[in-house]
Amino acid sequence: MTAKAPLLAVQELVKHYRLPRERLLAAPPTVHALQGVSFTLQAGRSLGIVGESGSGKSTLARLVMALEPPTRGQVLLAGRDLHALPAADLRAARADFQMVFQDPFGSLDPRQTVERIICEPLLAQGRLSPQRQRERAAEMLEAVGLRAADAAKYPHEFSGGQRQRIAIARALVTQPKLIVADEPVSALDVSVQAQVLNLMQDLQDQFGVSYLFISHDLAVVDLVCDEVIVLYQGRAVEQGDPDTLFHAAAHPYTRALLQAVPRTQPSGARRGAARAAALPPLEDARASGCSFAPRCGHRQPRCLAEAPALRPLNAPGHAAACHFAEQVLASPVD
């Protein structure tokens, strides 16, 4: 038997940005936002992408959504390379993948009614009659816990949590196979976050949608995701299921993230917010060695000379890009 083909396959994704020249004759500096990220996502599953600011999470989301072209690599959705599709075909394919943005206040047009906002993806596709579009908008509003009568209102009449429900309804209206959620609850109060996350899980059960969940909050990823990838300076440094990563992290960076969480975290251990200062200052580490070596307390000479590859460990699906992952696993958590 052959393994089931993944819904989403990201292959060796690289993205470089050129910055303005600092001097007239100087070469323009380059930001290496992504450096060879690969992963797959099966239909009906949720994959979390975590990392600190600047790790490449939002860049990855934009490339998966085909909002920017990659420097190298492929994004395959249901076997189709999104960045190789002609413009008309890509426009049609967008019905299969939608996005929920971080800011529920900035992502909704304040001049449009809720019905118009939700129907916008359908208008872009041009497949349904106006009457069917209105019916679909009402169905989606009820699916996210709002009333069909709310379609005539404007975004300013809703709270932040309700606005994010509207954004989710807009993402669901085309019946997509994949939703990319970029920090979808970080702008909400903690009590509202739980409601929105529970809603997203219920909608996944109801519609069978897959989530690519971008977040810096490990507790959120632990609740929602079936698998997690940890990014550091544009590279995947560890991946596995949440229980494995948050209880038996094998990469020093993943452990540093867990220790920096200021409240009760998935591992059950409480850390102070001051633990975030435990990492040494960031240094430029784009030489031949491990990118985390300048900040790592486990580094050895090999780490400075040779970049580690993401390799499988003992637990199923658990992999880490660390030469000494087994020693890190065996060491106590600080």
Side-chain angles (χ1 to χ4, degrees):
M1 295 180 62
T2 59
K4 185 178 180 181
L7 172 66
L8 175 68
V10 170
Q11 299 177 353
E12 292 296 325
L13 209 55
V14 174
K15 181 63 177 178
H16 297 165
Y17 293 100
R18 288 289 183 93
L19 300 181
R21 297 174 186 268
E22 298 177 353
R23 298 186 307 276
L24 179 61
L25 299 180
T30 301
V31 173
H32 301 259
L34 289 176
Q35 303 187 70
V37 175
S38 300
F39 60 83
T40 60
L41 174 61
Q42 296 291 339
R45 305 277 287 178
S46 297
L47 173 64
I49 307 293
V50 300
E52 63 188 339
S53 297
S55 61
K57 304 187 302 297
S58 293
T59 298
L60 177 61
R62 291 194 296 271
L63 266 58
V64 169
M65 286 297 301
L67 298 177
E68 295 182 13
T71 303
R72 292 194 303 276
Q74 292 181 310
V75 177
L76 305 176
L77 183 68
R80 294 182 297 176
D81 185 351
L82 297 181
H83 294 281
L85 292 176
D89 293 343
L90 177 60
R91 188 183 186 89
R94 288 194 182 280
D96 291 333
F97 60 105
Q98 295 289 315
M99 190 165 186
V100 176
F101 296 92
Q102 177 178 0
D103 184 6
F105 297 91
S107 64
L108 304 181
D109 189 339
R111 300 167 297 179
Q112 304 288 350
T113 65
V114 168
E115 179 179 272
R116 169 76 182 192
I117 289 170
I118 295 177
C119 288
E120 188 172 7
L122 297 176
L123 289 169
Q125 294 293 316
R127 297 179 181 177
L128 300 179
S129 67
Q131 176 61 30
R132 185 67 189 105
Q133 290 180 21
R134 289 191 292 270
E135 293 172 354
R136 182 74 67 80
E139 293 169 3
M140 292 300 101
L141 281 171
E142 293 177 347
V144 298
L146 298 175
R147 300 176 303 167
D150 291 329
K153 296 181 180 179
Y154 288 83
H156 73 267
E157 300 178 66
F158 297 90
S159 67
Q162 289 172 325
R163 292 188 194 199
Q164 200 63 303
R165 288 172 183 263
I166 294 169
I168 294 171
R170 176 178 59 186
L172 284 169
V173 74
T174 62
Q175 298 177 332
K177 299 174 183 177
L178 172 70
I179 289 181
V180 178
D182 188 4
E183 302 273 11
V185 297
S186 63
L188 305 177
D189 293 338
V190 174
S191 59
V192 181
Q193 287 184 13
Q195 297 174 17
V196 173
L197 292 173
N198 288 334
L199 170 66
M200 294 181 73
Q201 289 181 298
D202 292 341
L203 293 172
Q204 185 174 47
D205 294 337
Q206 180 178 353
F207 295 104
V209 66
S210 300
Y211 290 128
L212 181 64
F213 206 96
I214 312 293
S215 181
H216 67 275
D217 192 325
L218 300 178
V220 167
V221 171
D222 185 36
L223 177 66
V224 174
C225 298
D226 302 301
E227 188 176 1
V228 182
I229 292 178
V230 181
L231 287 187
Y232 178 75
Q233 291 193 2
R235 300 182 187 274
V237 297
E238 189 164 6
Q239 70 179 69
D241 63 81
D243 187 63
T244 300
L245 258 62
F246 300 151
H247 291 81
H251 197 282
Y253 177 63
T254 308
R255 290 198 169 194
L257 286 180
L258 292 168
Q259 292 164 4
V261 176
R263 60 180 183 273
T264 302
Q265 54 189 310
S267 64
R270 186 171 179 81
R271 305 289 185 231
R275 289 296 300 169
L279 287 176
L282 180 62
E283 301 177 27
D284 187 8
R286 273 189 277 277
S288 58
C290 173
S291 59
F292 190 64
R295 307 170 74 182
C296 182
H298 295 268
R299 68 173 177 265
Q300 298 186 30
R302 180 184 178 187
C303 304
L304 300 173
E306 179 184 345
L310 191 67
R311 59 186 178 89
L313 302 175
N314 290 334
H318 189 194
C322 179
H323 294 305
F324 306 101
E326 288 79 8
Q327 289 92 319
V328 175
L329 271 173
S331 66
V333 179
D334 294 336

